[in-house]
Amino acid sequence: MQNTFHLPIYTPPSLPIQAESYDVHRENGTPLIIDNGATTLRWGFATSSTPYTGPNAIAKYKERRTNKPLLLFGEGIDTESGARGQARTPWEGDVLLNFDALENALDYTFIHLGIDTPTVNHPVLMSERLATPLHSRALTSELMFELYSVPSLAFCVDGLMSFYQNHRPPAGSPFTSDGLVLSFNTASTSVIPMLNGKGILSHAKRIPWGASQASEYLLKLIQLKYPGFPTKITTNQTNWMLQNHCEFTSDFPSLLRDLRDPIKLKESERIIQFPFAAPVQEEKTEEELAKIAERRKEQGRKLQEMAAKSRMEKLAKKEADLQALLELRELRSTENKRDWAARLEDEGFDNDAALDDTIKKLEADLKKARRKEGDVDEPMEEPSFPLVDIPDADLDEDQLKEKRKQKLMKAGWEARMRARKEKEREREEKAREEQREEEERQADLDGWARNLRQQQEALMTKIKDRNRRKAALSDRKSAAAQARMKNIANLAADDTGAPRKKRRANGEDMFGADDADWQIYRKIELTFVHCGKNTAAPSSDEEDDLTQLQIIEQKLLAHDPTFTDQHTHAFLTTQRSALLSAFLPFYEEGDVEGHTRIHLSTERWRVPETYFSPGMAGIDTAGLGEVIQNILARFSEAEKARLVGNIFLTGSPSQLPGLSTRLHSSVRPILPPEMPIEIVKAANPSLDAWRGMAAFSLTEEFRTVGVTKAQYEEHGPERIKRWWGSNWNGSI
């Protein structure tokens, strides 16, 4: 299938990464670089070309077979299925809180680097987030100095070091680059202005939205779209979807308007195929397949015979009911008014009009049923009914029974003869109508087509209103449902019908003891059938309307060249549901492969758009565009031009396609037309922060920015130094 992508299956490394020899760095004081990310930990010596990387998580797990406690780090957690539930990270969102996990992670990094001395005799440069709380830095300093006895420790903002890596000055020259740094992290996004190589942190901003929140938001959208998905969807899987299939768009509202076209929506989607186990199907021989086909054919024939028999039985019952009602109506002229009213009440009718309406409805139903059955021609000679004209006094008991039977048979035969004549009359009338319509069409084709189109529109409106009425009745709070309950209450309190409640003197409810009490339900049913509100019973009017609509549309398709299939009721109804079908495709029952697919359509752009509109995901904070506008408003026009002339993007989420275009569309309206905008992306958004830290640690300036162990012992863990890449602007 086009645009189908298979979800990758993660396989943990079979062999651990081999560390480099420590002898090269022993007693050399090579700086040790640690990029402490919320998702990934990167570490290594400053002279290394690339760092070691691994998921920044640890898990304490007891192996079942040996009952030995294990401490697993990074990818090692995935080697033990039971350890995944015990995984912990040093970070809580974007704040460093779990220092025992940080200690375990640092133990792993130092051991992995081959450091075999009692203390870590290397200056350390560690990254941190913008606006890191002072107590988090103090606890980290205490851990590094007290446990590992590092000679010096310096902290830096990762986004600034990535900027430094991509704008490094020549050796011996000061760092004086200008720009606006946008650092996309796991749990936050930072905007830091830089002038003359110094971060203006008093004007920097951080929004609480990052890759982890975007991935969780995508997971929620998928869970809402596929509530019954057969397999569990994890945040790692949605993170893969976010990185590989989501992108920014320069104008999100305009994109949504374009995607209202089902064809464009279908073309833009990405289908993610999850792993599935195909059901095992047994191969059948041709002989077995032939037997199955023959069995199905025989079952279909039996079902058709049963349906035909059922229709004939219903038709015979309706004819008998009609004959009984006709005989009842004949008694009206022979009885007095009181006896006739009592007889009507016993039969369940309120008055003569109700009886006549029922007879009329039965005759119409019989007429329609005979028309559908196609009434097979019967012999025209009248059957013999010899006992019908003989007086009852001249007959014995058996002959009287036979006479009643013959009267029913005669009435049925006469009814069929009347139906035959009515059918012949309808055929003649239909032929005359077709002739008249043909003449009218030839005389004025436009007027004829206009008239039929008006009839089609009226029928479609009628069908639409009926469906809307049915939907309203299913909602107990709707006006139609409340009106129905009001009618029920009125009928229950009607003096002419059954009283609402009948009670004996002792308070016992006697409703239902009299057969007349149950006539209230017949009244309710008849009321809603006549007004077309009985949603439980099939509506014959709806079938007639659909049949008439199809006849009109067939005529228009045959004779009106301007009327096409796209104007038919079926196409318009399908077109209205096509957008929903494109958004959430339907798969047949038993299609295991189809039911393990996720169709990403609008979600591909909706999730990245939350960086600029966090309110879409329920986050009460400003988006990137508003934050940048607020920051630029604090600078002069000249400084503003220096900042927007180098908008720098870093961090793994900055690799999403379309970010530069989307950012340009947000920044351009808030700047003067003549002010140029330049948006650049880090050469390696994921590794440039570590590489910038490594490059800076090899300069002379690095020796002056770290807190030494002696300063720590004298001033405590709160001791910090001011420098351009740090979070703080002065010493305490």
Side-chain angles (χ1 to χ4, degrees):
M1 184 179 293
Q2 189 179 6
N3 295 335
T4 300
F5 302 85
H6 290 269
L7 191 72
I9 301 176
Y10 173 76
T11 55
S14 56
L15 296 175
I17 302 175
Q18 298 297 323
E20 61 187 48
S21 175
Y22 181 60
D23 295 336
V24 180
H25 307 287
R26 192 183 300 273
E27 299 181 359
N28 287 342
T30 307
L32 186 59
I33 311 303
I34 301 175
D35 184 7
N36 186 22
T39 303
T40 305
L41 183 66
R42 301 177 181 89
W43 70 94
F45 291 105
T47 55
S48 302
S49 57
T50 57
Y52 297 105
T53 63
N56 196 0
I58 63 101
K60 295 179 180 180
Y61 176 68
K62 182 175 288 188
E63 192 178 17
R64 294 183 179 180
R65 290 180 296 178
T66 61
N67 203 28
K68 292 182 179 180
L70 299 177
L71 181 61
L72 304 175
F73 173 80
E75 294 178 340
I77 298 175
D78 294 327
T79 60
E80 296 287 346
S81 59
R84 297 171 187 170
Q86 308 294 328
R88 298 177 58 213
T89 68
W91 297 84
E92 294 290 341
D94 209 36
V95 181
L96 187 62
L97 291 179
N98 302 323
F99 289 92
D100 55 343
L102 177 61
E103 178 184 344
N104 297 139
L106 291 175
D107 287 341
Y108 178 86
T109 60
F110 296 147
I111 294 173
H112 189 269
L113 290 173
I115 300 177
D116 53 6
T117 57
T119 60
V120 179
N121 299 318
H122 298 271
V124 176
L125 178 60
M126 181 178 288
S127 66
E128 61 182 2
R129 293 290 176 270
L130 177 69
T132 296
L134 184 60
H135 72 276
S136 294
R137 169 185 267 212
L139 290 174
T140 306
S141 299
E142 185 176 350
L143 178 66
M144 298 297 291
F145 284 115
E146 297 291 345
L147 184 61
Y148 302 107
S149 297
V150 298
S152 68
L153 175 65
F155 293 94
C156 60
V157 179
D158 52 357
L160 297 182
M161 300 314 296
S162 179
F163 183 81
Y164 174 82
Q165 169 66 15
N166 287 267
H167 300 82
R168 273 194 296 168
S173 301
F175 178 56
T176 58
S177 297
D178 302 326
L180 189 66
V181 180
L182 272 65
S183 179
F184 294 82
N185 303 117
T186 298
S188 65
T189 302
S190 305
V191 183
I192 308 173
M194 291 197 70
L195 291 174
N196 298 319
K198 178 182 178 181
I200 314 299
L201 300 185
S202 59
H203 295 345
K205 299 291 181 182
R206 187 178 73 178
I207 62 176
W209 187 264
S212 62
Q213 290 89 344
S215 181
E216 291 175 1
Y217 181 53
L218 178 58
L219 176 61
K220 291 179 181 178
L221 292 177
I222 293 175
Q223 290 173 339
L224 182 64
K225 189 174 181 180
Y226 298 91
F229 199 71
T231 62
K232 181 181 179 180
I233 306 173
T234 65
T235 53
N236 289 335
Q237 293 169 341
T238 55
N239 191 41
W240 177 83
M241 298 180 203
L242 176 65
Q243 294 175 2
N244 294 275
H245 300 288
C246 293
E247 58 185 273
F248 288 89
T249 178
S250 59
D251 190 350
F252 183 65
S254 177
L255 174 69
L256 291 183
R257 286 192 294 270
D258 292 340
L259 293 182
R260 286 188 298 182
D261 185 353
I263 298 177
K264 293 183 179 179
L265 182 63
K266 197 70 176 177
E267 292 174 349
S268 67
E269 72 177 4
R270 299 283 180 86
I271 304 173
I272 311 301
Q273 179 67 64
F274 277 64
F276 67 96
V280 179
Q281 297 181 352
E282 297 181 0
E283 294 289 339
K284 292 183 171 58
T285 62
E286 295 183 1
E287 184 179 355
E288 291 176 337
L289 293 175
K291 289 181 179 180
I292 293 174
E294 184 64 27
R295 193 182 305 119
R296 289 178 178 173
K297 187 183 298 183
E298 181 65 20
Q299 290 175 352
R301 186 185 61 78
K302 289 181 179 180
L303 289 175
Q304 290 177 354
E305 292 177 354
M306 292 172 61
K309 182 179 179 182
S310 176
R311 289 195 301 269
M312 294 305 297
E313 289 177 352
K314 290 181 180 179
L315 183 60
K317 186 177 182 304
K318 286 184 178 181
E319 289 179 348
D321 291 344
L322 178 60
Q323 184 62 30
L325 292 178
L326 290 174
E327 291 180 356
L328 175 63
R329 188 169 61 178
E330 291 176 358
L331 297 176
R332 180 164 50 188
S333 60
T334 61
E335 295 184 355
N336 57 47
K337 291 185 178 181
R338 180 176 298 178
D339 293 340
W340 174 245
R343 184 181 294 275
L344 281 179
E345 186 177 357
D346 291 340
E347 296 293 337
F349 297 101
D350 293 338
N351 46 42
D352 293 347
L355 175 61
D356 293 338
D357 289 344
T358 304
I359 292 175
K360 184 176 180 181
K361 188 175 185 303
L362 268 177
E363 289 176 343
D365 290 344
L366 280 172
K367 181 179 178 181
K368 187 183 301 182
R370 292 193 191 101
R371 188 185 305 119
K372 289 182 179 180
E373 289 298 328
D375 281 343
V376 180
D377 291 339
E378 299 179 358
M380 294 304 297
E381 60 272 7
E382 181 179 359
S384 176
F385 306 108
L387 298 180
V388 173
D389 298 329
I390 301 177
D392 293 348
D394 298 339
L395 301 175
D396 56 17
E397 186 175 352
D398 293 337
Q399 290 176 332
L400 287 174
K401 292 181 180 179
E402 182 64 23
K403 179 181 178 180
R404 286 194 292 270
K405 182 178 178 181
Q406 290 183 7
K407 288 179 66 176
L408 290 175
M409 293 174 62
K410 182 179 180 181
W413 184 84
E414 291 175 349
R416 288 192 291 275
M417 291 301 101
R418 288 195 298 270
R420 185 189 300 276
K421 293 179 180 178
E422 179 67 19
K423 194 170 184 180
E424 291 177 355
R425 189 187 63 79
E426 288 180 356
R427 289 174 182 170
E428 295 175 356
E429 181 65 26
K430 184 178 180 180
R432 289 194 296 269
E433 180 67 22
E434 290 177 352
Q435 180 64 26
R436 183 190 61 79
E437 186 176 0
E438 178 68 21
E439 295 174 355
E440 180 181 350
R441 183 170 62 248
Q442 292 179 356
D444 184 8
L445 178 60
D446 294 339
W448 173 84
R450 185 167 52 254
N451 183 30
L452 285 188
R453 287 202 177 201
Q454 291 175 356
Q455 295 179 26
Q456 182 210 21
E457 185 67 26
L459 285 172
M460 289 194 298
T461 303
K462 185 178 179 181
I463 294 172
K464 183 178 179 180
D465 292 342
R466 185 185 291 112
N467 293 335
R468 186 186 298 113
R469 196 161 52 240
K470 287 182 179 180
L473 283 174
S474 62
D475 183 6
R476 62 184 181 87
K477 295 183 179 181
S478 65
Q482 291 177 1
R484 181 175 186 176
M485 293 303 299
K486 183 177 180 181
N487 289 337
I488 294 175
N490 292 338
L491 288 171
D494 192 355
D495 293 336
T496 61
R500 180 177 297 179
K501 289 186 178 181
K502 294 183 178 181
R503 297 185 180 274
R504 289 180 178 172
N506 59 3
E508 182 182 356
D509 188 0
M510 293 299 296
F511 179 80
D514 188 356
D515 290 341
D517 295 341
W518 300 100
Q519 295 300 321
I520 182 174
Y521 299 110
R522 176 178 173 81
K523 293 180 180 180
I524 296 171
E525 181 182 1
L526 290 175
T527 300
F528 285 93
V529 167
H530 291 162
C531 69
K533 295 181 180 180
N534 187 5
T535 59
S539 174
S540 59
D541 294 339
E542 185 174 0
E543 294 180 2
D544 293 342
D545 291 342
L546 289 173
T547 302
Q548 182 65 20
L549 184 60
Q550 291 177 358
I551 294 174
I552 292 175
E553 290 176 347
Q554 290 299 326
K555 292 179 180 179
L556 288 170
L557 288 171
H559 303 286
D560 186 1
T562 62
F563 189 87
T564 64
D565 290 332
Q566 297 183 356
H567 298 91
T568 61
H569 176 258
F571 180 85
L572 294 176
T573 305
T574 304
Q575 185 70 12
R576 281 190 290 268
S577 61
L579 186 61
L580 180 60
S581 299
F583 181 73
L584 186 61
F586 173 78
Y587 290 99
E588 296 291 339
E589 187 69 26
D591 186 357
V592 180
E593 183 179 5
H595 284 284
T596 52
R597 288 178 183 151
I598 287 178
H599 293 251
L600 295 179
S601 51
T602 58
E603 300 88 0
R604 295 179 53 209
W605 296 276
R606 182 181 182 88
V607 174
E609 182 65 19
T610 53
Y611 279 94
F612 293 87
S613 301
M616 293 170 55
I619 305 299
D620 186 15
T621 184
L624 271 179
E626 187 176 351
V627 167
I628 293 174
Q629 181 180 8
N630 181 271
I631 291 175
L632 294 179
R634 303 185 179 190
F635 294 92
S636 64
E637 292 298 315
E639 294 173 334
K640 192 182 300 183
R642 293 163 61 188
L643 291 174
V644 299
N646 185 20
I647 300 179
F648 179 74
L649 310 179
T650 185
S652 295
S654 67
Q655 302 177 81
L656 290 177
L659 175 58
S660 299
T661 305
R662 177 66 180 90
L663 191 61
H664 188 277
S665 65
S666 296
V667 176
R668 180 73 275 173
I670 63 178
L671 297 175
E674 66 278 1
M675 186 176 293
I677 301 175
E678 184 70 25
I679 300 176
V680 296
K681 190 177 296 184
N684 191 327
S686 301
L687 296 179
D688 277 358
W690 187 92
R691 290 174 175 171
M693 295 165 62
F696 176 75
S697 67
L698 299 177
T699 62
E700 291 296 328
E701 185 181 3
F702 172 68
R703 302 177 184 273
T704 63
V705 300
V707 176
T708 64
K709 184 172 177 56
Q711 292 172 335
Y712 166 79
E713 292 174 348
E714 180 180 357
H715 300 284
E718 292 82 9
R719 174 72 175 181
I720 58 177
K721 288 188 176 181
R722 176 183 180 181
W723 68 288
W724 60 266
S726 175
N727 258 310
W728 286 271
N729 294 326
S731 299
I732 299 178

